[in-house]
Amino acid sequence: MGKLAFIFPGQGAQYVGMGKDIAAEYKSADAIFNAATEALGFDIKEMIFNGNDETLKITENTQPTIVTTSVACMQPLLEKGIKPDFVAGLSLGEYAAHVAAGTMSFNDAVVLVRKRGKFMQEAVPVGVGAMSAIIGLDNEAVIESCKEASSIGVCEPANFNCPGQLVIAGEVAAVEKANEICKAKGAKRAMMLAVSAPFHCSLLKPAGEKLAAELEKVVLNDMKIPVVVNVSAKAITNKEEVKETLIKQVSSSVLWEDSVRTMIEQGVDTFVEIGPGKALSGFVKKISKDVKVLNVENIESLNSTLEELLNN
């Protein structure tokens, strides 16, 4: 039997009603939504189940709603005795991974990511920064394009998602310039993303500094499961490394493709994406055709994943 990894999605996967049917059927999942409401001091459960897209899109709402849903959707798996050998998350998802690993309590994580969202939004005024997805161009060509575009402003690689898909971030004019350069180099598409800030680039360093102060207040526990972190794509097991990686992560590239390869090299042959959407499942399939990819975001996907994991 190969090894199992739980992976958790990042910002952009949110939608109204996520996790609602799992919470209706599993008390342990519902308890997570209630715990989030208590920890944050407002009815986040109502926001997630019955709110609206515009509210969920606000970064300081998006981050806690996705982490809450991801951790809630994981509860039925844990209840059935399914435990991962590795955990990882894309950007924001790394916090859900740390909850899964036991590094931090869920209550601490959900309060922290709401502040993280606020700090990230405050770091760059709306309209100053942008992000763009570059499709169908190799990493080196995209990195080179960012360097060329940085003559007119900040432009850096933000997310190395999977072969042929890299997201860049920076100041609007520089990102638009990089799009043109990438297209000239043969990119199939270069499309601006509907985001409110240029995540994972040096413009976000002030957010990392504010986050550092908040992390000082959080008690970290010994990790029960290795967490493969975005900034290095390495599996870490020492809680002393966690705060630094989370601070750097805000303004550093997300090495998702390398993170998945790290887990595969360590013997992972089954990945379960837990939380809203299936973006990570798509990335993993593009990274390797030889692994099994499952997901849990509603009752239907939960039941088929449980059947797959418990009967094989």
Side-chain angles (χ1 to χ4, degrees):
M1 176 69 189
K3 291 178 181 172
L4 175 68
F6 285 177
I7 54 176
F8 300 93
Q11 201 158 319
Q14 71 278 357
Y15 55 87
V16 175
M18 54 187 176
K20 191 174 183 178
D21 57 354
I22 291 179
E25 204 155 311
Y26 287 87
K27 282 188 180 145
S28 55
D30 194 45
I32 295 293
F33 287 103
N34 292 331
T37 287
E38 200 164 307
L40 294 167
F42 70 93
D43 198 343
I44 195 169
K45 183 178 179 182
E46 174 65 20
M47 183 190 282
I48 296 168
F49 291 173
N50 306 309
N52 60 71
D53 289 333
E54 285 312 305
T55 306
L56 282 188
K57 260 190 215 158
I58 298 165
T59 304
E60 66 185 272
N61 294 334
T62 314
Q63 299 206 13
T65 56
I66 289 178
V67 167
T68 298
T69 303
S70 297
V71 173
C73 288
M74 173 173 66
Q75 298 312 306
L77 298 176
L78 300 179
E79 233 176 75
K80 306 279 186 194
I82 297 164
K83 294 210 168 68
D85 299 289
F86 289 89
V87 290
L90 183 92
S91 184
L92 168 70
E94 200 162 287
Y95 287 81
H98 278 299
V99 174
T103 324
M104 63 177 77
S105 72
F106 168 69
N107 284 22
D108 280 344
V110 78
V111 170
L112 201 53
V113 297
R114 181 159 170 86
K115 288 176 179 164
R116 178 181 182 265
K118 188 168 180 286
F119 299 152
M120 288 168 89
Q121 190 57 72
E122 287 170 352
V124 183
V126 174
V128 170
M131 297 183 81
S132 173
I134 310 297
I135 313 289
L137 196 60
D138 68 77
N139 290 349
E140 283 311 310
V142 179
I143 293 166
E144 196 50 49
S145 302
C146 287
K147 279 185 187 152
E148 289 174 37
S150 63
S151 61
I152 61 165
V154 173
C155 184
E156 297 158 8
N159 294 53
F160 293 85
N161 288 331
C162 62
Q165 189 184 327
L166 207 164
V167 175
I168 62 174
E171 291 169 299
V172 177
V175 172
E176 287 171 346
K177 178 78 173 161
N179 282 351
E180 288 168 25
I181 298 168
C182 287
K183 281 181 186 161
K185 288 183 193 285
K188 284 184 190 152
R189 276 193 299 168
M191 51 188 192
M192 299 297 259
L193 301 178
V195 293
S196 54
F199 306 123
H200 302 292
C201 76
S202 56
L203 294 173
L204 268 284
K205 279 198 173 140
E209 286 157 18
K210 288 183 184 170
L211 185 66
E214 296 301 326
L215 278 163
E216 282 311 308
K217 304 172 193 170
V218 175
V219 177
L220 297 182
N221 312 305
D222 289 325
M223 298 152 82
K224 299 185 184 82
I225 304 162
V227 179
V228 179
V229 297
N230 290 178
V231 294
S232 65
K234 291 191 170 89
I236 64 169
T237 52
N238 181 355
K239 67 179 182 183
E240 304 306 325
E241 295 178 63
V242 172
K243 288 182 181 177
E244 191 191 346
T245 61
L246 289 175
I247 294 160
K248 277 170 79 174
Q249 189 224 49
V250 174
S251 57
S252 301
S253 302
V254 171
L255 306 179
W256 185 251
E257 182 182 337
D258 287 348
S259 297
V260 172
R261 293 194 192 283
T262 294
M263 289 183 271
I264 294 170
E265 282 161 17
Q266 297 288 333
V268 171
D269 66 357
T270 304
F271 290 83
V272 183
E273 178 174 8
I274 304 172
K278 288 203 276 197
L280 301 189
S281 302
F283 296 157
V284 173
K285 285 173 187 168
K286 283 185 180 150
I287 293 163
S288 172
K289 300 273 186 284
D290 303 323
V291 297
K292 185 179 285 180
V293 185
L294 307 166
N295 85 300
V296 174
E297 69 169 321
N298 51 30
I299 280 294
E300 189 185 351
S301 55
L302 169 63
N303 289 339
S304 71
T305 292
L306 286 173
E307 192 175 317
E308 188 73 45
L309 294 175
L310 295 171
N311 298 334
N312 288 324

